[in-house]
């Protein structure tokens, strides 16, 4: 039985790839619906492609849970991400984003899209999502109905 699965995913822009990469990897894993079950420990390689970028970013993972969905005769696979060794493809995508922003001349500093959850140490503080980051600052999204007073 094959214990290695390669799944190719395409994104229209390098920015959308980086945004999804930080969202997914930041959550530590992904749940996939599939027609067949896979054994626990099956290794996944997610091959992430972006328009205009020659080399894909690879994210490694391992099946840690399989739950049958009886009504649809499908399975929910939980894949936990591992840390990849080679960051050169991701670095090339980041450099492409920097270069495109620099050529456009619209921004003083290039923005990198992110999706990282953040919380303050103070009790009852709302959560935040860091949407992008640059040398000029960060884009935050407050996860509350109103902005905090301070």
């Amino acid at each position: 039985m094959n214990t290695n699965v390669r799944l190719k995913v395409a994104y229209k822009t390098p920015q959308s790839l980086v945004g999804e990469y930080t969202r997914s990897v930041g959550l530590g894993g992904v749940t996939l619906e599939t027609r067949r079950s896979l054994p626990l420990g099956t290794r996944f390689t997610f091959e992430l492609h972006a328009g205009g970028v020659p080399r894909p970013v690879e994210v490694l993972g391992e099946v840690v849970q399989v739950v049958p969905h009886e009504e649809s005769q499908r399975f929910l696979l939980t894949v936990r991400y591992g840390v990849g060794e080679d960051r050169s493809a991701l670095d090339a995508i980041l450099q492409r984003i920097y270069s495109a922003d620099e050529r456009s001349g619209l921004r003083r500093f290039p923005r990198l899209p992110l999706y990282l959850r953040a919380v303050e140490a103070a009790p009852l503080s709302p959560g935040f999502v860091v949407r992008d980051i640059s040398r000029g600052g960060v884009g935050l999204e407050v996860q509350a109905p109103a902005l905090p007073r301070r």
Side-chain angles (χ1 to χ4, degrees), residues 15 97-110:
Q15 289 86 342
I97 292 170
Y98 286 138
S99 297
D101 275 3
E102 192 173 273
R103 281 193 307 274
S104 74
L106 296 176
R107 301 194 190 298
R108 185 171 174 199
F109 301 111

Side-chain angles (χ1 to χ4, degrees), residues 11-18 49-51 53:
Y11 298 92
K12 289 184 180 181
T13 65
Q15 289 86 342
S16 60
L17 184 152
V18 172
H49 295 264
V53 179

Side-chain angles (χ1 to χ4, degrees), residues 123-141:
L124 304 175
S125 295
F128 300 91
V129 175
V130 180
R131 291 190 343 237
D132 58 57
I133 189 168
S134 74
R135 291 182 69 196
V138 243
L140 289 178
E141 183 178 305

